[in-house]
Amino acid sequence: MGVLPQGITLSPGGARAYVANRGSNTLSVIDTATDTVIDNVVVTVSGPGGTPSGGFTYVSGPGI
């Protein structure tokens, strides 16, 4: 998990939880079946980032 975690959302079906980490500009991806962080995505302010499936993930917060 990153610094100052704030905000959480679940994927459809609840298999993944996504936590915005305000203090480290990252997004933690959590496997809810094992309660483990499986990825930490760096959030950039300058533009959108793609997902492995070609979609987009949007994160909002102060300065983003």
Side-chain angles (χ1 to χ4, degrees), residues 5-60:
Q6 294 183 338
I8 186 170
T9 191
L10 295 173
S11 64
R16 300 281 185 266
Y18 302 93
V19 178
N21 302 301
R22 180 178 177 188
S24 57
N25 292 330
T26 59
L27 179 74
S28 295
V29 182
I30 301 166
D31 182 322
T32 59
T34 61
D35 291 331
T36 57
V37 176
I38 58 172
D39 200 2
N40 279 302
V41 180
V42 176
V43 177
T44 61
V45 177
S46 61
T51 63
S53 63
F56 291 93
T57 302
Y58 296 93
V59 178
S60 65

